[in-house]
Amino acid sequence: MSSPLDGVRVLDFSRVLAGPYCTMMLGDMGAEVIKVEDPSKGDDTRAWGPPFQGTESAYFLSVNRNKKSITLNLKAPSGLAVAKRLAARAHIMVENFRPGTMDRLGLGYEALRAVNPRLVYCSVSGFGQTGPQRERPGYDAMMQGEGGLMSLTGFPDGPPTKVGISIADLVAGLFAVQGILLALRVADQTGAGQWVDLSLLEGRWAC
């Protein structure tokens, strides 16, 4: 039996949770997902634990199933060249670096659109790609506080309290999947890709 995304290739530069959760779901739908990691340490979550499954972090395994893996030094010309060749053959690319980072590396949307006009390029960041807070790093707990979610949990008259799970990350990942699939549909119809811009703060507001 075929899967909905059979034949679709995803290049995954993301790490930790929102981006990997998004690409994991794309992989569950049948896409080929190639996860690109830093050769010095890999995804940060490889070291997060306990619990561990043997020597592997259970956290890492929980959001990185159905993926292939490669390490690339994106600051080295050879690593960058491989990344560009992979992007030229991909249908979807997902990254969650701080805004501007991929541009500085030569892997921004405009640079990759020039070599792959059909590419659906998804960026997940704390506060989005535009606006006065675009360069601030963003983490789930910060988004729960900034977005007001912590004021709705905990005990009456008590301090703000974090939701037990990383809800802003997970909802942002779900939004990313939705945006990517819509953009992929447009690319199939028109031959033109799109840039999908998701923020963790938007994920919190939808909670």
Side-chain angles (χ1 to χ4, degrees):
M1 180 181 296
S2 63
S3 299
L5 295 184
D6 278 350
V8 172
R9 179 175 292 164
V10 180
L11 189 57
D12 180 12
F13 286 95
S14 68
R15 63 260 188 252
V16 186
L17 183 52
Y21 184 57
C22 163
T23 54
M24 180 192 73
M25 287 187 283
L26 296 173
D28 289 348
M29 296 175 196
E32 176 191 19
V33 181
I34 302 172
K35 184 176 177 70
V36 180
E37 299 183 64
D38 183 332
S40 65
K41 62 178 181 178
D43 189 317
D44 294 345
T45 60
R46 284 186 179 274
W48 290 8
F52 290 94
Q53 178 66 37
T55 60
E56 297 282 354
S57 161
Y59 190 117
F60 175 84
L61 294 174
S62 72
V63 287
N64 286 287
R65 64 174 177 256
N66 292 332
K67 300 179 185 181
K68 299 176 179 179
S69 185
I70 185 173
T71 62
L72 291 177
N73 180 358
L74 299 178
K75 295 181 180 179
S78 58
L80 187 59
V82 172
K84 288 182 176 179
R85 289 201 299 271
L86 289 170
R89 297 180 176 93
H91 300 87
I92 299 163
M93 197 185 98
V94 179
E95 62 91 10
N96 63 349
F97 290 96
R98 195 179 303 186
T101 300
M102 295 299 270
D103 284 323
R104 290 191 292 273
L105 290 170
L107 295 171
Y109 174 64
E110 294 298 335
L112 295 186
R113 184 173 69 164
V115 298
N116 185 354
R118 291 179 57 94
L119 183 67
V120 174
Y121 188 113
C122 179
S123 296
V124 182
S125 61
F127 296 91
Q129 299 297 306
T130 60
Q133 301 191 83
R134 65 184 292 271
E135 295 188 1
R136 291 181 62 195
Y139 302 95
D140 184 90
M142 178 192 298
M143 297 305 121
Q144 290 192 33
E146 295 243 1
L149 185 61
M150 287 186 182
S151 68
L152 304 178
T153 60
F155 299 95
D157 302 319
T161 304
K162 179 185 179 299
V163 174
I165 62 172
S166 298
I167 191 67
D169 273 312
L170 295 174
V171 174
L174 288 168
F175 281 177
V177 170
Q178 183 181 47
I180 286 168
L181 294 179
L182 291 171
L184 191 64
R185 175 65 171 158
V186 172
D188 288 340
Q189 293 173 332
T190 68
Q194 297 184 35
W195 190 3
V196 180
D197 174 12
L198 261 297
S199 73
L200 299 186
L201 191 59
E202 289 170 311
R204 173 271 164 266
W205 283 339
C207 298

